[in-house]
Amino acid sequence: MDHIIKEKLSDFSIIGHSMGGNLATEIASEMPALCKRIILVDALPCIRELWMPGVPASKVEYNSSNNKELLSMPAEEF
């Protein structure tokens, strides 16, 4: 979203497949006045709601200890 703001984009479309579709949905919901349409292919409407019901996007911490542990795993352990 920083890129959209920095480049002052508006009236744009987002195409997303699978998890990219989830990202497209999140961006469109955060910037409804700027994003005019989204095209989703094989995506759940909001996977976050399945994994973490009731947790708003603003509360999701991607820089968590669980993510750090997964990212530091050797490939064979992962």
Side-chain angles (χ1 to χ4, degrees), residues 5-43:
I5 294 166
K6 179 183 172 197
E7 296 298 323
K8 299 180 177 138
L9 302 177
S10 64
D11 195 31
F12 57 85
S13 300
I14 303 174
I15 302 170
H17 173 262
S18 190
M19 290 182 78
N22 298 323
L23 178 59
T25 303
E26 289 282 343
I27 292 170
S29 69
E30 292 288 325
M31 306 179 141
L34 300 177
C35 180
K36 296 301 176 192
R37 65 195 66 79
I38 59 173
I39 301 167
L40 304 177
V41 180
D42 293 333

Side-chain angles (χ1 to χ4, degrees), residues 39 48 51-52 65:
I39 301 167
R48 177 178 34 83
W51 289 345
M52 300 174 283
S65 58

